[in-house]
Amino acid sequence: MSSRESSEAARAQFGRHAPAEHVIVHLSDTHLLAGGAALGGRYDVEANLAATLAAVERTGVRPDALVFTGDLTDLGEPDAYRRLRDAVEPVAERLGAPIVWVAGNHDERPAMRAGLMDAAGPGGRDDAPLTGVWDLRGLRLVALDSTVPGWHHGQIDPDQLAWLDEVLAEPAPHGTILALHHPPLPSHIPFFDILELREQDAFADVIRGTDVRGILAGHLHYSTSGTFAGVPVSVASATCYTMNLQRPAAAVNGMDAGQAFQLVHVYDDVITHAVVPVVEAPTGDYFSAEWTARMAALSPQERLEAFSRKR
């Protein structure tokens, strides 16, 4: 089977929804350090990032964007940003996708701007919030900066909220997705709420009733979801280390396992967030490209007879 035939078969409509028009790869919390140092002396964050990026490429997706929702480095070191860029840019180039870098509380705005964006801040202010707008074939992606310089909790300052209000004044053809580091959600882990996004009511007032269809975030080092101001929120797990949620909430801590990223599929009327574990394990080969092509060649009723009917 040719690659073109395989691609067409994979995009065949077998159910009520046509294949998603947009796909975003959502990653978070890489926490790289200068010199390739291990985080906390124990987590090989560069190896974990490399494994994550290899897993992204194994999915075979051609995403509209790679979105990294903050804590890109652990200490904001220039060399750490360089190492991150060197690791991610070749993958993004092979996938033909832009990279959206979002600032997290462990990042430092001037170093991040210099190391990843090759641009000075507005009015020459390199410490200004790192925001941006991307038009992904009609889907609008807005990166917000929820960092508070010198602190680990989050807040979106009034000037940034006013800017966001202006951006959202005109709806985008396929709606808007927001990306920020601190999720506007509670955590069942008590200490995370100390570092939560503050002034959430003002943020809610800006996005309520707009074309915002989803919010992507990080910060927690585990995957979770909820709603905020009527908008779905999806938090991606970390690539560096994750939280061991098998412990009682007050005793939760980090572990070098469970790393994951998310595939965000944007349909006409719904957005899904699939959590993809970063692990290589023996996998069955029951549903091959050839099998999918055979199903695509059948009528809907024939497909039900071939696959749905219990034998």
Side-chain angles (χ1 to χ4, degrees):
M1 177 182 298
S2 70
S3 60
R4 178 175 177 273
E5 289 171 329
S6 177
S7 177
E8 288 177 353
R11 287 189 58 80
Q13 182 173 341
F14 290 160
R16 63 176 290 171
H17 286 96
E21 286 300 319
H22 301 278
V23 182
I24 293 171
V25 174
H26 177 197
L27 312 98
S28 201
D29 292 84
T30 49
H31 282 268
L32 263 60
L33 286 157
L39 181 62
R42 64 182 301 179
Y43 302 117
D44 190 343
V45 291
E46 288 201 0
N48 290 344
L49 173 60
T52 301
L53 294 173
V56 168
E57 293 202 80
R58 285 196 296 272
T59 67
V61 299
R62 302 286 292 180
D64 291 85
L66 301 176
V67 180
F68 288 77
T69 49
D71 281 1
L72 310 173
T73 68
D74 192 61
L75 299 173
E77 301 158 303
D79 182 62
Y81 287 115
R82 181 189 64 78
R83 300 175 81 89
L84 176 64
R85 188 170 183 171
D86 288 347
V88 176
E89 283 190 345
V91 176
E93 185 175 352
R94 288 194 293 271
L95 296 177
I99 307 168
V100 177
W101 303 114
V102 178
N105 50 283
H106 278 266
D107 293 303
E108 296 294 338
R109 289 173 178 173
M112 180 175 164
R113 182 170 267 118
L116 298 179
M117 300 178 177
D118 297 329
R125 286 188 54 222
D126 287 342
D127 61 344
L130 289 146
T131 60
V133 180
W134 287 259
D135 179 359
L136 306 177
R137 297 184 298 113
L139 176 68
R140 181 166 55 196
L141 178 66
V142 179
L144 300 173
D145 189 338
S146 59
T147 68
V148 181
W151 300 84
H152 283 300
H153 67 272
Q155 183 175 343
I156 303 174
D157 63 64
D159 288 345
Q160 194 175 161
L161 287 177
W163 169 81
L164 178 61
D165 190 45
E166 291 181 5
V167 170
L168 298 177
E170 182 177 343
H174 298 166
T176 297
I177 292 179
L178 305 180
L180 73 164
H181 183 64
H182 298 80
L185 292 177
S187 173
H188 75 285
I189 303 173
F191 66 81
F192 269 126
D193 282 345
I194 302 173
L195 309 179
E196 68 185 357
L197 181 70
R198 299 194 172 190
E199 306 295 338
Q200 291 187 21
D201 290 345
F203 183 32
D205 289 342
V206 172
I207 68 172
R208 188 179 287 112
T210 67
D211 73 338
V212 175
R213 302 179 60 188
I215 298 173
L216 308 181
H219 189 49
L220 301 180
H221 289 235
Y222 66 90
S223 298
T224 188
S225 60
T227 58
F228 173 74
V231 177
V233 180
S234 181
V235 180
S237 182
T239 75
C240 61
Y241 69 86
T242 68
M243 306 307 291
N244 187 350
L245 301 185
Q246 298 177 40
R247 290 186 172 192
V252 165
N253 217 307
M255 63 179 182
D256 196 6
Q259 287 87 350
F261 62 95
Q262 295 192 1
L263 293 177
V264 182
H265 287 86
V266 181
Y267 298 85
D268 286 343
D269 59 350
V270 67
I271 299 177
T272 64
H273 304 262
V275 178
V276 185
V278 179
V279 61
E280 292 190 69
T283 306
D285 193 22
Y286 308 111
F287 307 115
S288 64
E290 289 75 17
W291 182 92
T292 304
R294 288 200 301 273
M295 290 296 108
L298 300 178
S299 69
Q301 186 57 41
E302 288 172 333
R303 279 195 288 272
L304 287 179
E305 289 290 339
F307 191 56
S308 178
R309 184 179 291 281
K310 295 180 180 180
R311 304 300 186 206

